[in-house]
Amino acid sequence: MSLQTVINQAISPWMKCDGPDDDIVLSSRVRLARNMKNYLFPTLLSTEKAKEICSLVKNYFEGNTSLPFGPFEYIEMEQMEPIEKRVLVEKHLISPNLVEDSIYGACILSENEQLSIMINEEDHLRIQSLFPGLQLKEALKLANDIDNYIESQLEYAFDENIGYLTSCPTNVGTGLRASVMMHLPALVMTNQLSRMIPSINQLGLVVRGIYGEGSEALGNIFQISNQITLGKSEEEITDDLITIVQQLIQQERSVRDALMKTSTIQLEDRVYRSLGILKFSRIIETKESAKCLSDVQLGIDLGIIEGLPKRLLSELMVLTQPGILQQYAGQPLQPVERDIRRATLIRERLDLENK
């Protein structure tokens, strides 16, 4: 399998598109949690009823080309190999919970992978839409369009006073989780982000790592999302998040400009040292590769490095994850074998630009 084939398979089509402020905001995501009326929540659901829900949803989507981004593919977790499941998690199309904890899980994927619906995760349905750059309003519209279609086919668990009922109390109300993935290397370098996080939390938002709750912020990539779903409308939640994200964008750009003016040589040295590691390493771990990729991406964004793709960080942060590395190899790999394969893949990807 050629590297170009791996890239085409591993990188979702929507990730190759431009978006507003995509030098800092890598992606926008909206997720709606929904449950069906007259069914127990997934934590108490029998296998028979879980399969019944999968069958219902499958019939609404499979082969449907009239909805946005159709046709759709229906995938049952039981039918997938462990590496295949891991790849979907690494591409942010499904959650680890769907793989590890669901009694009988499945997902619906649109052709361009911009829309995914998890079935029988923590809730019966998790409707997710993804857009490049800062496009939360567009992501919300797509998720709502799909949500309205499903609600026209079946009845949700809903309370007139509270809103949508969910397994986790923190999702009750709108059932909405809106989030953006941001690359904030300058704010991290200057230790400003750590001082800003408490203030962000006080506004009802949370700052997490690249895979959400409990994950690490690899490559200076952070996920900013809402914590509150009850007592606010979907529009209020997304507007509040957009306001904070725009302030972070302004701060990150301001600090980048200041670093270029006051620490030009030091910044160039850091960027080119990281590029050298990526070009010549034979073994590289996840953390080191993420750190170096973040530095090189900053160099690309600031015009220090030319001739490399605009979205190198987004692309290689996906391509160098363990599941995709093993899929590329065509076999399971031990940790040190993955580190060797990661270094090889990065070198080959950088060499593509010289061919």
Side-chain angles (χ1 to χ4, degrees), residues 129-299:
S129 65
L130 292 155
F131 278 75
L134 183 54
Q135 298 192 77
L136 278 173
K137 290 183 181 294
E138 291 81 357
L140 178 60
K141 182 183 184 305
L142 174 59
N144 277 335
D145 287 346
I146 299 302
D147 183 40
N148 292 336
Y149 167 71
I150 297 173
E151 196 165 15
S152 71
Q153 309 294 321
L154 56 84
E155 191 173 0
Y156 284 146
F158 182 83
D159 182 271
E160 290 293 338
N161 296 316
I162 299 174
Y164 292 101
L165 306 181
T166 57
S167 294
C168 180
T170 59
N171 290 324
V172 169
T174 60
L176 170 67
R177 277 284 184 270
S179 65
V180 295
M181 205 75 76
M182 303 188 73
H183 182 223
L184 302 170
L187 289 176
V188 173
M189 283 182 204
T190 56
N191 296 316
Q192 292 189 43
L193 185 63
S194 60
R195 297 196 294 269
M196 296 167 71
I197 287 176
S199 298
I200 294 172
N201 292 340
Q202 289 177 4
L203 296 171
L205 304 176
V206 63
V207 181
R208 294 186 171 119
I210 189 169
Y211 288 104
E213 189 172 358
S215 65
E216 194 173 355
L218 295 173
N220 298 315
I221 298 175
F222 298 86
Q223 185 185 102
I224 321 292
S225 63
N226 66 296
Q227 283 183 304
I228 299 169
T229 63
L230 188 62
K232 285 189 173 185
S233 69
E234 293 174 343
E235 290 73 19
E236 288 173 327
I237 291 170
T238 52
D239 285 346
D240 289 348
L241 180 54
I242 289 170
T243 298
I244 297 302
V245 169
Q246 287 173 334
Q247 291 177 14
L248 285 170
I249 291 170
Q250 184 179 7
Q251 290 288 332
E252 173 68 19
R253 288 201 176 124
S254 175
V255 176
R256 290 184 184 190
D257 290 343
L259 288 172
M260 281 294 287
K261 290 175 182 176
T262 62
S263 307
T264 308
I265 296 298
Q266 292 90 335
L267 188 58
E268 289 179 347
D269 182 71
R270 175 172 176 149
V271 166
Y272 281 115
R273 281 177 183 271
S274 291
L275 180 59
I277 290 171
L278 295 176
K279 277 188 172 181
F280 299 109
S281 289
R282 266 43 188 177
I283 301 175
I284 191 164
E285 296 181 349
T286 301
K287 283 186 180 180
E288 185 180 16
S289 68
K291 182 264 179 192
C292 291
L293 285 169
S294 174
D295 289 344
V296 171
Q297 184 65 56
L298 180 61

Side-chain angles (χ1 to χ4, degrees), residues 19-39:
D21 300 304
D22 59 5
D23 56 323
I24 294 174
V25 180
L26 305 182
S27 63
S28 299
R29 184 191 72 163
V30 162
R31 191 209 69 204
L32 300 175
R34 299 290 186 259
N35 288 284
M36 300 184 190
K37 189 176 182 180
N38 300 323
Y39 284 90

